[in-house]
Amino acid sequence: MPFDRRAEAATYRLHVALMGSDPEIWRTLDVAHDLTLGPVFEATRTAMGWSGFLLHFFRVEGRVRDAVRGPAERTELTYSPAYGTWQRAGLDESGVRLDEVLGRVGDRIRLAVVDDFGDEWWHELRLDAVLPADPTRRARCVAGARACPPGDSEGIEDYNEVVAVWRHGWPGRRSATAAPPGVGWPRSHDPDAFDLAGVDEVLRHVVSVPQTPVPMRADVCDRLRDLWWRCTDDGRAALDVLAHDAGAQRTPGEADVPGDVADRLADWIDVVRAVNDGFAPATSDPDRELARAVEARRGGRPHPPGGGPERLVALAFAAGLLRRHRGRIVTTVAGRHGLTRPDLLWRHLATRPLRPATLAGDAALVGALHVAAGRSRSALLPHRILTSAGHTDAEDPLSVETTERVLSSLRAPLAYCGGVSGPEPGAPLTDSGRRLCRLVVGAPPTR
């Protein structure tokens, strides 16, 4: 190895830059000196924003030691993991520590991330400072700028060209934020975006992955445990921490209906009652007829922001209170129980079985756990968990934008329960919304 291992604990401050990016895409990371190269890669890709299953290898300038002839001339060493039969010619990274390849301030190593299209994205990791050890964190992100390229950007030169067009425009563009025609970017991709708090939150879980994961506690709800078994190690570590912080448990949380959502539950009960009282549509659009019948029953009560009678009917189907049977709209057992027991309706909205293998089902569970644990509104940690559980966007890797869209679509039922403070997509949850999320994962109503 180029350097001997350090005797005393320390924190390495690394400047990580995507080589060739213009303007530079960079991060500043504080990491433990004794991390092996595998976790260093995980920290780098998390901070930069790469997602999905990615091959990688490190290039380090150093000396090859020979027991007979002594140190050889300086050369480049290659370290990589062994993914089945794939390993770049070189040495196994699993036993190589960071302080063995970076020993002095100013030293540099390079990391290549290989995407699904075979493009190599080169990063330079430079040691900027050696700081006192931090016993509370193995890795943290302290600064950075600009977003990682989307996975189908076809190399850094092409990405730079598209960013230049994005910034300065060209004739015929309709919007300064729309991706240029023919470019495979997600429409929401912003080259200048960087969420420091969200990245650091994810990084806290990713680099603290235990070498031998301990199965999730036996007392958490079955849906969380099922998701845990489908995740890779980094997703399991994140779920362990969130379940602990939320106080998740097997037994359902308290189901008493908060006073400020009683009127909202009455809206759902009006929908069920309209069908249960013999609703018989006279046109080919029964959903719209039912919406008008429900609105007549509501007596002029205002809808929550962004809602309406047709939206309420659609949500009643999504929540499992109504179903279609032989061309008719009928109530479910849960819907009928809610007519006389609002507390059962409240519990149903929280604990309705979700298909555990679907993206929407897992997103609902992870989103509720995220809220119950008191985390920020960033979608990065839920995205990490859902990706580790094998979820994709059709045949493409799951993007943060898709995760945000799925999570935002699950806010509509919360809005009708008074769980969201406003109509805008990023509106925070109310106390009742947080209480409902805690009920989903069997956590105490307050902590």
Side-chain angles (χ1 to χ4, degrees), residues 25 36 45 48 57 162 180 223 246 297 348 357 361 399 429 435:
I25 301 169
T36 57
R45 84 157 181 173
M48 295 300 289
F57 59 95
V162 175
R223 286 182 293 166
R297 286 177 173 271
H348 170 76
S399 65
L429 299 183
R435 187 170 181 175

Side-chain angles (χ1 to χ4, degrees), residues 192-226:
D192 291 328
F194 174 60
D195 180 3
L196 176 60
V199 166
D200 189 54
E201 179 181 335
V202 179
L203 196 57
R204 183 167 70 90
H205 301 296
V206 168
V207 184
S208 62
V209 177
Q211 295 296 319
T212 306
V214 179
M216 180 170 275
R217 312 191 321 261
D219 61 333
V220 299
C221 68
D222 293 337
R223 286 182 293 166
L224 274 178
R225 197 160 51 253
D226 172 78

Side-chain angles (χ1 to χ4, degrees), residues 226-292:
D226 172 78
L227 177 59
W228 188 93
W229 282 112
R230 288 187 281 114
C231 286
T232 57
D233 285 353
D234 56 347
R236 290 177 176 182
L239 279 174
D240 285 337
V241 173
L242 288 180
H244 176 271
D245 290 353
Q249 54 194 3
R250 179 190 298 273
T251 56
E254 182 180 326
D256 293 341
V257 181
D260 59 339
V261 301
D263 288 343
R264 298 306 180 199
L265 292 183
D267 286 345
W268 299 77
I269 292 173
D270 283 339
V271 176
V272 175
R273 184 168 284 121
V275 175
N276 209 50
D277 287 350
F279 170 70
T283 69
S284 59
D285 194 349
D287 289 18
R288 180 167 296 180
E289 281 194 62
L290 177 59
R292 287 196 291 266

